[in-house]
Amino acid sequence: AVDLAGGEQRGDAFLAVNPAGAVPVMVDPAGPDGKPLTLAQSGAILLYLATKSGRFLPQDPALRAAAFQWFMFATTDLAMMSTMVFLESSVLPGRSPANVEFFEKRIARYFAVADARLAGRGYLADELSIADFALYPVVRVRGRLADASTTPHLVRWAEALGRREGVARGMAATEQPLSKATAG
């Protein structure tokens, strides 16, 4: 856990783990060749863990390509919009409600795209993959922008994913007050 509100991410101990001073960071004591591996960026962490475990990356080339596409959609397009809402509403000086509204409308539009993809499927790439794990936290944080009347497939998908034991455990670990956000 890292005390973000207290600035712990800017201290020497954390900067030794991630010089960018950002979360998440993962330290795998049993990395490649049995040597510790420190890795930042949620997308890189997901790719590493899926590759290392041999899980959550479809073996079929077409499904794997779909997983990569939706993984990038979640980690670049949607996550960035979610970050902009946070920054515009909580961090930046001269906060702009108009900008927040712009970013929220974009998130809602992206949620509609994901909803259309999930029509008739259980997962973004037809089987559970890193794409689902990348999208889920954004839907969880910005869920008020998705509801059963506008995005029924996305809501169904999020409810099902949220019931998975590992997902529930992971979300519980990150849903602490900002002063004790999880670092990895």
Side-chain angles (χ1 to χ4, degrees):
V2 175
D3 183 352
L4 297 175
E8 189 176 344
Q9 73 278 16
R10 293 184 298 274
D12 291 341
F14 188 79
L15 291 174
V17 177
N18 183 4
V23 295
V25 175
M26 178 197 75
V27 178
D28 180 0
D33 300 322
K35 297 177 184 169
L37 173 76
T38 301
L39 196 58
Q41 296 291 337
S42 57
I45 292 168
L46 277 171
L47 285 167
Y48 170 75
L49 292 172
T51 302
K52 180 178 178 176
S53 70
R55 299 178 67 198
F56 307 118
L57 281 177
Q59 295 302 307
D60 176 87
L63 293 181
R64 184 178 285 235
F68 286 155
Q69 174 185 324
W70 290 100
F71 170 76
M72 295 305 295
F73 176 77
T75 58
T76 60
D77 301 339
L78 264 162
M80 178 54 72
M81 290 302 108
S82 182
T83 298
M84 294 309 297
V85 168
F86 169 72
L87 292 174
E88 280 286 348
S89 60
S90 304
V91 177
L92 295 175
R95 296 177 183 111
S96 167
N99 287 349
V100 170
E101 181 182 358
F102 171 83
F103 293 125
E104 286 182 340
K105 283 182 179 178
R106 196 159 192 172
I107 290 169
R109 186 168 53 89
Y110 286 159
F111 280 175
V113 170
D115 182 73
R117 173 65 181 182
L118 289 164
R121 352 178 111 74
Y123 303 107
L124 291 165
D126 293 337
E127 60 185 70
L128 184 61
S129 74
I130 59 172
D132 300 290
F133 297 135
L135 180 59
Y136 181 77
V138 179
V139 173
R140 179 83 175 254
V141 168
R142 302 288 170 215
R144 67 178 180 74
L145 301 173
D147 65 57
S149 68
T150 59
T151 54
H153 310 296
L154 183 67
V155 169
R156 170 196 41 82
W157 166 89
E159 288 172 352
L161 209 57
R163 287 191 297 270
R164 293 181 62 85
E165 182 182 340
V167 172
R169 197 171 53 246
M171 292 307 296
T174 63
E175 292 177 348
Q176 300 173 31
L178 183 58
S179 63
K180 279 295 181 187
T182 300

